[in-house]
Amino acid sequence: MAHQWRGVIREYADRLPVSESTRVVTLGEGGTPLIEAPALSRLVEGEVWVKFEGMNPTGSFKDRGMTMAITAAVEQGAKAVVCASTGNTSASAAAYATQAGLTCAVLVPEGKIAMGKLSQAIAHGATLLQVDGNFDNCLDVARKLSENYPVFLVNSVNPNRIEGQKTGAFEVVDALGDAPDYHLLPVGNAGNITAYWKGYREYSQPYTNPHPGAPAGELPAVSTRTPVMWGFQAAGAAPIVLGHPVTDPDTLATAIRIGNPASWEQAEAARDESGGLIDSVTDEEILAAHRWLSAKEGVFVEPASAAGVAGLIKHHGLGNVPTGKRWVITVTGHGLKDPQWALRNADGSDVEPQRVPFDVVAVAEALGLS
Ligand SMILES: *Cc1c(COP(=O)(O)O)cnc(C)c1O
């Protein structure tokens, strides 16, 4: 019998830091569609799937980690949570904190927060403070706040976030029957690449849940292998590619506008252990991939979410993409978060609707039907 998806904690409780008595805070996140991308598949002469994380309750993959972080915060007696955010973390934290009855404080950097994300945090009643600084400065303040005051930090430096987010990899394997050959995704603060790699590794080996109170015993391996991980930063915010922090990160892909990723070393480990790469893509390549996804695959994402697709197209152009492989690309957030980019033509001008008179013949002519 069909049943409603129960959220990632209940679906994967045997592999998460929860016990029977845990009060689960969930909005039904996860269970997102894995969609075959026919045009990309034709381009690379392989099988390309996109994991559409915009279909989560607040419109990004952040919900996978937030259900776990807020659940753990409640279990530890929290009354308030704080996060630094380029937008989606705050939208997610505010929603889950509200459901749990916690207060939520959000620190956002100056400028360039997408309207959709800001309105979510405000709608859910978060206290929003705009800090005179960039994301990395916000995270610094949020960390110190949580060390010195009674608030819990729910950024991805909180290990519960990584635990929740690793379920993305589980779902890919569960849907395809095994790990893909390659997994591509955007890299900002590098929590997600860390989480996917953890998930893929745990699914490829026998696993014993280390959490006290978790069911005892060893779970069998689910997949026979792990994928090669390819991560993509924006060219103006590519510290891992450059090998040093970037003081003034700059990209229109605001969700990955980060100059000093908190999970830097873990991202390098995912790259090196999987035999993969972390590379950069320009804003132009990101916008082209964003347009490709919406116009050719029927999937509308926010710009940062298209970085993995931009990376695949770039490396196909460089001749680095072998044929006959299976590729999964996480597209991280929904297009409605930051819709303005769809309303620009390739030359940068605004899209204007074509005006027609109130007349069926004129409309038919405009549609090329006569
Ligand atoms: C947070 C976010 C990213 C970056 O993920 P990290 O875990 O910080 O690397 C990419 N895309 C979107 C839409 C995001 O919200």
Side-chain angles (χ1 to χ4, degrees), residues 76-198:
Q76 291 161 43
K79 296 280 176 283
V81 296
V82 64
C83 66
S85 181
T86 61
N88 283 330
T89 299
S90 62
S92 187
Y96 284 81
T98 295
Q99 215 215 18
L102 308 180
T103 62
C104 176
V106 170
L107 307 182
V108 298
E110 300 181 278
K112 285 196 190 171
I113 297 291
M115 179 82 83
K117 306 175 188 182
L118 210 53
S119 51
Q120 285 177 289
I122 291 166
H124 295 304
T127 304
L128 195 101
L129 299 175
Q130 186 154 29
V131 175
D132 295 333
N134 61 28
F135 171 83
D136 307 287
N137 305 133
C138 291
L139 183 56
D140 194 44
V141 173
R143 274 178 141 149
K144 287 177 181 146
L145 205 63
S146 71
E147 283 160 15
N148 296 299
Y149 299 88
V151 290
F152 279 60
L153 183 66
V154 295
N155 280 99
S156 61
V157 292
N158 177 333
N160 290 299
R161 282 277 309 278
I162 305 296
E163 288 300 305
Q165 285 171 210
K166 76 185 181 186
T167 60
F170 296 166
E171 288 179 22
V172 169
V173 172
D174 289 341
L176 297 177
D178 207 343
D181 296 304
Y182 292 81
H183 191 111
L184 281 63
L185 76 176
V187 173
N189 219 20
N192 215 26
I193 190 171
T194 302
Y196 267 93
W197 182 236
K198 187 168 199 283

Side-chain angles (χ1 to χ4, degrees), residues 60-62 88 186-192 255-256 258 302 304-305 332-333:
S60 83
F61 75 84
K62 299 296 197 299
N88 283 330
V187 173
N189 219 20
N192 215 26
I256 54 173
I258 290 171
E302 66 168 281
S305 303
T332 43

Side-chain angles (χ1 to χ4, degrees), residues 308-368:
V309 172
L312 180 66
I313 295 171
K314 172 181 173 180
H315 280 268
H316 174 261
L318 293 172
N320 297 337
V321 168
T323 59
K325 300 293 182 190
R326 186 179 259 180
W327 307 78
V328 170
I329 311 175
T330 304
V331 295
T332 43
H334 204 286
L336 294 174
K337 293 274 192 175
D338 195 6
Q340 59 162 319
W341 302 103
L343 300 175
R344 283 183 11 162
N345 294 306
D347 65 7
S349 62
D350 287 345
V351 173
E352 296 286 352
Q354 187 185 345
R355 302 205 59 155
V356 289
F358 173 38
D359 173 61
V360 71
V361 175
V363 172
E365 258 170 31
L367 293 173

